mmCIF file of all heavy atoms in Angstrom:
data_model
loop_
_atom_site.group_PDB
_atom_site.id
_atom_site.type_symbol
_atom_site.label_atom_id
_atom_site.label_comp_id
_atom_site.label_asym_id
_atom_site.label_seq_id
_atom_site.Cartn_x
_atom_site.Cartn_y
_atom_site.Cartn_z
ATOM 1 N N GLU A 835 -62.105 -29.326 36.172
ATOM 2 C CA GLU A 835 -62.982 -30.487 35.977
ATOM 3 C C GLU A 835 -63.803 -30.757 37.243
ATOM 4 O O GLU A 835 -63.265 -30.702 38.362
ATOM 5 C CB GLU A 835 -62.153 -31.716 35.624
ATOM 6 C CG GLU A 835 -62.980 -32.940 35.268
ATOM 7 C CD GLU A 835 -62.124 -34.132 34.885
ATOM 8 O OE1 GLU A 835 -60.887 -34.046 35.055
ATOM 9 O OE2 GLU A 835 -62.679 -35.135 34.408
ATOM 10 N N HIS A 836 -65.097 -31.020 37.051
ATOM 11 C CA HIS A 836 -66.056 -31.370 38.101
ATOM 12 C C HIS A 836 -66.542 -30.163 38.916
ATOM 13 O O HIS A 836 -67.452 -30.320 39.726
ATOM 14 C CB HIS A 836 -65.491 -32.410 39.077
ATOM 15 C CG HIS A 836 -65.095 -33.695 38.424
ATOM 16 N ND1 HIS A 836 -65.956 -34.421 37.623
ATOM 17 C CD2 HIS A 836 -63.919 -34.371 38.442
ATOM 18 C CE1 HIS A 836 -65.332 -35.508 37.180
ATOM 19 N NE2 HIS A 836 -64.093 -35.489 37.648
ATOM 20 N N VAL A 837 -65.945 -28.974 38.727
ATOM 21 C CA VAL A 837 -66.400 -27.806 39.487
ATOM 22 C C VAL A 837 -67.616 -27.204 38.799
ATOM 23 O O VAL A 837 -67.616 -26.998 37.578
ATOM 24 C CB VAL A 837 -65.284 -26.748 39.619
ATOM 25 C CG1 VAL A 837 -65.812 -25.486 40.299
ATOM 26 C CG2 VAL A 837 -64.107 -27.319 40.403
ATOM 27 N N VAL A 838 -68.663 -26.915 39.567
ATOM 28 C CA VAL A 838 -69.900 -26.338 39.042
ATOM 29 C C VAL A 838 -69.981 -24.844 39.354
ATOM 30 O O VAL A 838 -70.370 -24.047 38.513
ATOM 31 C CB VAL A 838 -71.125 -27.066 39.632
ATOM 32 C CG1 VAL A 838 -72.427 -26.338 39.265
ATOM 33 C CG2 VAL A 838 -71.166 -28.500 39.145
ATOM 34 N N GLU A 839 -69.574 -24.464 40.549
ATOM 35 C CA GLU A 839 -69.751 -23.068 40.965
ATOM 36 C C GLU A 839 -68.727 -22.710 42.035
ATOM 37 O O GLU A 839 -68.336 -23.544 42.866
ATOM 38 C CB GLU A 839 -71.165 -22.866 41.515
ATOM 39 C CG GLU A 839 -71.462 -21.452 41.988
ATOM 40 C CD GLU A 839 -72.877 -21.313 42.529
ATOM 41 O OE1 GLU A 839 -73.831 -21.650 41.796
ATOM 42 O OE2 GLU A 839 -73.020 -20.875 43.691
ATOM 43 N N VAL A 840 -68.301 -21.455 41.992
ATOM 44 C CA VAL A 840 -67.421 -20.904 43.024
ATOM 45 C C VAL A 840 -68.027 -19.597 43.505
ATOM 46 O O VAL A 840 -68.320 -18.715 42.699
ATOM 47 C CB VAL A 840 -65.999 -20.638 42.473
ATOM 48 C CG1 VAL A 840 -65.112 -20.041 43.565
ATOM 49 C CG2 VAL A 840 -65.384 -21.915 41.920
ATOM 50 N N HIS A 841 -68.249 -19.490 44.798
ATOM 51 C CA HIS A 841 -68.742 -18.224 45.352
ATOM 52 C C HIS A 841 -68.110 -18.002 46.734
ATOM 53 O O HIS A 841 -67.327 -18.821 47.203
ATOM 54 C CB HIS A 841 -70.277 -18.190 45.432
ATOM 55 C CG HIS A 841 -70.866 -19.290 46.248
ATOM 56 N ND1 HIS A 841 -71.428 -20.417 45.696
ATOM 57 C CD2 HIS A 841 -70.982 -19.447 47.585
ATOM 58 C CE1 HIS A 841 -71.875 -21.207 46.630
ATOM 59 N NE2 HIS A 841 -71.607 -20.654 47.805
ATOM 60 N N ASP A 842 -68.483 -16.894 47.373
ATOM 61 C CA ASP A 842 -67.848 -16.501 48.646
ATOM 62 C C ASP A 842 -66.323 -16.554 48.528
ATOM 63 O O ASP A 842 -65.623 -17.012 49.432
ATOM 64 C CB ASP A 842 -68.309 -17.401 49.794
ATOM 65 C CG ASP A 842 -69.732 -17.089 50.235
ATOM 66 O OD1 ASP A 842 -70.280 -16.084 49.743
ATOM 67 O OD2 ASP A 842 -70.295 -17.844 51.037
ATOM 68 N N LEU A 843 -65.824 -16.080 47.393
ATOM 69 C CA LEU A 843 -64.378 -16.076 47.152
ATOM 70 C C LEU A 843 -63.763 -14.809 47.748
ATOM 71 O O LEU A 843 -64.153 -13.694 47.393
ATOM 72 C CB LEU A 843 -64.092 -16.142 45.646
ATOM 73 C CG LEU A 843 -62.638 -15.982 45.210
ATOM 74 C CD1 LEU A 843 -61.786 -17.126 45.730
ATOM 75 C CD2 LEU A 843 -62.537 -15.882 43.691
ATOM 76 N N HIS A 844 -62.824 -14.996 48.645
ATOM 77 C CA HIS A 844 -62.139 -13.863 49.280
ATOM 78 C C HIS A 844 -60.633 -14.081 49.175
ATOM 79 O O HIS A 844 -60.134 -15.171 49.483
ATOM 80 C CB HIS A 844 -62.528 -13.739 50.756
ATOM 81 C CG HIS A 844 -64.000 -13.560 50.980
ATOM 82 N ND1 HIS A 844 -64.637 -12.370 50.747
ATOM 83 C CD2 HIS A 844 -64.952 -14.442 51.385
ATOM 84 C CE1 HIS A 844 -65.934 -12.511 51.026
ATOM 85 N NE2 HIS A 844 -66.146 -13.758 51.412
ATOM 86 N N ILE A 845 -59.908 -13.053 48.739
ATOM 87 C CA ILE A 845 -58.454 -13.097 48.668
ATOM 88 C C ILE A 845 -57.930 -11.844 49.355
ATOM 89 O O ILE A 845 -58.360 -10.733 49.053
ATOM 90 C CB ILE A 845 -57.951 -13.148 47.214
ATOM 91 C CG1 ILE A 845 -58.649 -14.271 46.429
ATOM 92 C CG2 ILE A 845 -56.443 -13.347 47.182
ATOM 93 C CD1 ILE A 845 -58.288 -14.302 44.961
ATOM 94 N N TRP A 846 -56.986 -12.026 50.264
ATOM 95 C CA TRP A 846 -56.447 -10.888 50.998
ATOM 96 C C TRP A 846 -55.004 -11.202 51.381
ATOM 97 O O TRP A 846 -54.500 -12.299 51.130
ATOM 98 C CB TRP A 846 -57.292 -10.584 52.234
ATOM 99 C CG TRP A 846 -57.212 -11.616 53.320
ATOM 100 C CD1 TRP A 846 -56.468 -11.556 54.468
ATOM 101 C CD2 TRP A 846 -57.913 -12.875 53.377
ATOM 102 N NE1 TRP A 846 -56.647 -12.683 55.220
ATOM 103 C CE2 TRP A 846 -57.545 -13.512 54.583
ATOM 104 C CE3 TRP A 846 -58.824 -13.512 52.534
ATOM 105 C CZ2 TRP A 846 -58.038 -14.758 54.948
ATOM 106 C CZ3 TRP A 846 -59.325 -14.755 52.896
ATOM 107 C CH2 TRP A 846 -58.935 -15.368 54.091
ATOM 108 N N GLU A 847 -54.338 -10.216 51.975
ATOM 109 C CA GLU A 847 -52.971 -10.407 52.454
ATOM 110 C C GLU A 847 -52.961 -10.295 53.970
ATOM 111 O O GLU A 847 -53.402 -9.288 54.526
ATOM 112 C CB GLU A 847 -52.021 -9.360 51.865
ATOM 113 C CG GLU A 847 -51.576 -9.648 50.445
ATOM 114 C CD GLU A 847 -50.525 -8.661 49.977
ATOM 115 O OE1 GLU A 847 -50.868 -7.478 49.825
ATOM 116 O OE2 GLU A 847 -49.373 -9.062 49.767
ATOM 117 N N VAL A 848 -52.453 -11.312 54.637
ATOM 118 C CA VAL A 848 -52.271 -11.230 56.080
ATOM 119 C C VAL A 848 -51.182 -10.205 56.376
ATOM 120 O O VAL A 848 -51.314 -9.363 57.262
ATOM 121 C CB VAL A 848 -51.885 -12.609 56.657
ATOM 122 C CG1 VAL A 848 -51.620 -12.505 58.156
ATOM 123 C CG2 VAL A 848 -52.985 -13.621 56.367
ATOM 124 N N THR A 849 -50.099 -10.280 55.617
ATOM 125 C CA THR A 849 -49.034 -9.288 55.629
ATOM 126 C C THR A 849 -48.385 -9.361 54.256
ATOM 127 O O THR A 849 -48.778 -10.184 53.422
ATOM 128 C CB THR A 849 -48.025 -9.567 56.761
ATOM 129 O OG1 THR A 849 -47.092 -8.491 56.845
ATOM 130 C CG2 THR A 849 -47.282 -10.870 56.527
ATOM 131 N N SER A 850 -47.421 -8.502 53.991
ATOM 132 C CA SER A 850 -46.828 -8.489 52.657
ATOM 133 C C SER A 850 -46.187 -9.842 52.354
ATOM 134 O O SER A 850 -45.474 -10.407 53.181
ATOM 135 C CB SER A 850 -45.781 -7.381 52.552
ATOM 136 O OG SER A 850 -44.813 -7.494 53.575
ATOM 137 N N GLY A 851 -46.470 -10.357 51.168
ATOM 138 C CA GLY A 851 -45.932 -11.642 50.765
ATOM 139 C C GLY A 851 -46.623 -12.840 51.376
ATOM 140 O O GLY A 851 -46.114 -13.962 51.264
ATOM 141 N N TYR A 852 -47.771 -12.643 52.018
ATOM 142 C CA TYR A 852 -48.494 -13.749 52.655
ATOM 143 C C TYR A 852 -49.961 -13.675 52.234
ATOM 144 O O TYR A 852 -50.817 -13.272 53.015
ATOM 145 C CB TYR A 852 -48.360 -13.660 54.172
ATOM 146 C CG TYR A 852 -48.892 -14.852 54.945
ATOM 147 C CD1 TYR A 852 -48.579 -14.994 56.292
ATOM 148 C CD2 TYR A 852 -49.688 -15.828 54.364
ATOM 149 C CE1 TYR A 852 -49.052 -16.068 57.033
ATOM 150 C CE2 TYR A 852 -50.171 -16.892 55.085
ATOM 151 C CZ TYR A 852 -49.853 -17.013 56.419
ATOM 152 O OH TYR A 852 -50.324 -18.080 57.139
ATOM 153 N N PRO A 853 -50.281 -14.063 50.986
ATOM 154 C CA PRO A 853 -51.678 -14.036 50.536
ATOM 155 C C PRO A 853 -52.463 -15.194 51.141
ATOM 156 O O PRO A 853 -51.918 -16.258 51.436
ATOM 157 C CB PRO A 853 -51.557 -14.171 49.014
ATOM 158 C CG PRO A 853 -50.294 -14.947 48.823
ATOM 159 C CD PRO A 853 -49.363 -14.506 49.924
ATOM 160 N N ALA A 854 -53.756 -14.963 51.320
ATOM 161 C CA ALA A 854 -54.650 -16.001 51.837
ATOM 162 C C ALA A 854 -55.933 -15.992 51.015
ATOM 163 O O ALA A 854 -56.308 -14.969 50.429
ATOM 164 C CB ALA A 854 -54.961 -15.758 53.315
ATOM 165 N N LEU A 855 -56.599 -17.146 50.965
ATOM 166 C CA LEU A 855 -57.813 -17.279 50.154
ATOM 167 C C LEU A 855 -58.810 -18.186 50.863
ATOM 168 O O LEU A 855 -58.431 -19.183 51.487
ATOM 169 C CB LEU A 855 -57.461 -17.855 48.774
ATOM 170 C CG LEU A 855 -58.605 -18.108 47.784
ATOM 171 C CD1 LEU A 855 -58.112 -17.900 46.347
ATOM 172 C CD2 LEU A 855 -59.166 -19.541 47.924
ATOM 173 N N SER A 856 -60.073 -17.824 50.758
ATOM 174 C CA SER A 856 -61.150 -18.706 51.199
ATOM 175 C C SER A 856 -62.233 -18.698 50.132
ATOM 176 O O SER A 856 -62.425 -17.697 49.431
ATOM 177 C CB SER A 856 -61.722 -18.260 52.552
ATOM 178 O OG SER A 856 -62.359 -16.996 52.435
ATOM 179 N N ALA A 857 -62.924 -19.812 49.972
ATOM 180 C CA ALA A 857 -63.959 -19.906 48.935
ATOM 181 C C ALA A 857 -64.877 -21.087 49.238
ATOM 182 O O ALA A 857 -64.496 -22.046 49.923
ATOM 183 C CB ALA A 857 -63.331 -20.070 47.553
ATOM 184 N N HIS A 858 -66.096 -21.008 48.707
ATOM 185 C CA HIS A 858 -67.057 -22.112 48.753
ATOM 186 C C HIS A 858 -67.178 -22.656 47.328
ATOM 187 O O HIS A 858 -67.499 -21.908 46.401
ATOM 188 C CB HIS A 858 -68.407 -21.615 49.257
ATOM 189 C CG HIS A 858 -69.361 -22.710 49.578
ATOM 190 N ND1 HIS A 858 -70.654 -22.476 49.976
ATOM 191 C CD2 HIS A 858 -69.221 -24.077 49.558
ATOM 192 C CE1 HIS A 858 -71.266 -23.635 50.178
ATOM 193 N NE2 HIS A 858 -70.408 -24.612 49.934
ATOM 194 N N ILE A 859 -66.894 -23.933 47.173
ATOM 195 C CA ILE A 859 -66.854 -24.553 45.851
ATOM 196 C C ILE A 859 -67.887 -25.664 45.783
ATOM 197 O O ILE A 859 -67.929 -26.547 46.656
ATOM 198 C CB ILE A 859 -65.450 -25.130 45.572
ATOM 199 C CG1 ILE A 859 -64.407 -24.001 45.617
ATOM 200 C CG2 ILE A 859 -65.413 -25.823 44.207
ATOM 201 C CD1 ILE A 859 -62.977 -24.494 45.521
ATOM 202 N N LEU A 860 -68.734 -25.618 44.760
ATOM 203 C CA LEU A 860 -69.721 -26.672 44.518
ATOM 204 C C LEU A 860 -69.237 -27.545 43.369
ATOM 205 O O LEU A 860 -68.790 -27.034 42.340
ATOM 206 C CB LEU A 860 -71.086 -26.066 44.181
ATOM 207 C CG LEU A 860 -71.690 -25.109 45.221
ATOM 208 C CD1 LEU A 860 -73.080 -24.669 44.788
ATOM 209 C CD2 LEU A 860 -71.727 -25.745 46.598
ATOM 210 N N VAL A 861 -69.341 -28.859 43.544
ATOM 211 C CA VAL A 861 -68.865 -29.803 42.532
ATOM 212 C C VAL A 861 -70.014 -30.704 42.087
ATOM 213 O O VAL A 861 -71.073 -30.782 42.723
ATOM 214 C CB VAL A 861 -67.710 -30.656 43.089
ATOM 215 C CG1 VAL A 861 -66.561 -29.762 43.537
ATOM 216 C CG2 VAL A 861 -68.178 -31.536 44.242
ATOM 217 N N ARG A 862 -69.804 -31.393 40.984
ATOM 218 C CA ARG A 862 -70.822 -32.304 40.455
ATOM 219 C C ARG A 862 -71.092 -33.430 41.451
ATOM 220 O O ARG A 862 -70.182 -33.850 42.186
ATOM 221 C CB ARG A 862 -70.365 -32.869 39.108
ATOM 222 C CG ARG A 862 -70.222 -31.831 38.019
ATOM 223 C CD ARG A 862 -69.698 -32.429 36.730
ATOM 224 N NE ARG A 862 -69.530 -31.404 35.708
ATOM 225 C CZ ARG A 862 -70.510 -30.984 34.910
ATOM 226 N NH1 ARG A 862 -71.715 -31.536 35.014
ATOM 227 N NH2 ARG A 862 -70.303 -30.044 34.020
ATOM 228 N N PRO A 863 -72.320 -33.952 41.451
ATOM 229 C CA PRO A 863 -72.684 -34.979 42.434
ATOM 230 C C PRO A 863 -71.800 -36.218 42.384
ATOM 231 O O PRO A 863 -71.565 -36.860 43.412
ATOM 232 C CB PRO A 863 -74.133 -35.313 42.071
ATOM 233 C CG PRO A 863 -74.647 -34.079 41.423
ATOM 234 C CD PRO A 863 -73.480 -33.516 40.660
ATOM 235 N N GLU A 864 -71.317 -36.571 41.192
ATOM 236 C CA GLU A 864 -70.508 -37.788 41.086
ATOM 237 C C GLU A 864 -69.050 -37.563 41.454
ATOM 238 O O GLU A 864 -68.258 -38.519 41.548
ATOM 239 C CB GLU A 864 -70.577 -38.340 39.659
ATOM 240 C CG GLU A 864 -69.859 -37.513 38.609
ATOM 241 C CD GLU A 864 -70.703 -36.393 38.027
ATOM 242 O OE1 GLU A 864 -71.783 -36.103 38.621
ATOM 243 O OE2 GLU A 864 -70.313 -35.813 37.011
ATOM 244 N N ALA A 865 -68.655 -36.304 41.672
ATOM 245 C CA ALA A 865 -67.255 -35.990 41.956
ATOM 246 C C ALA A 865 -66.897 -36.314 43.397
ATOM 247 O O ALA A 865 -67.756 -36.337 44.291
ATOM 248 C CB ALA A 865 -66.982 -34.519 41.658
ATOM 249 N N VAL A 866 -65.629 -36.555 43.631
ATOM 250 C CA VAL A 866 -65.110 -36.766 44.980
ATOM 251 C C VAL A 866 -64.576 -35.426 45.496
ATOM 252 O O VAL A 866 -63.626 -34.865 44.930
ATOM 253 C CB VAL A 866 -63.983 -37.820 44.983
ATOM 254 C CG1 VAL A 866 -63.441 -38.009 46.397
ATOM 255 C CG2 VAL A 866 -64.494 -39.141 44.425
ATOM 256 N N CYS A 867 -65.191 -34.911 46.536
ATOM 257 C CA CYS A 867 -64.869 -33.567 47.026
ATOM 258 C C CYS A 867 -63.386 -33.425 47.372
ATOM 259 O O CYS A 867 -62.762 -32.401 47.065
ATOM 260 C CB CYS A 867 -65.713 -33.237 48.256
ATOM 261 S SG CYS A 867 -67.468 -32.989 47.897
#
Side-chain angles (χ1 to χ4, degrees):
E835 186 178 8
H836 301 307
V837 175
V838 171
E839 180 180 305
V840 179
H841 58 259
D842 286 352
L843 173 64
H844 302 284
I845 309 175
W846 69 101
E847 281 186 293
V848 177
T849 187
S850 54
Y852 188 167
L855 178 148
S856 66
H858 191 184
I859 300 173
L860 303 184
V861 302
R862 296 177 182 275
E864 70 274 13
V866 179
C867 290

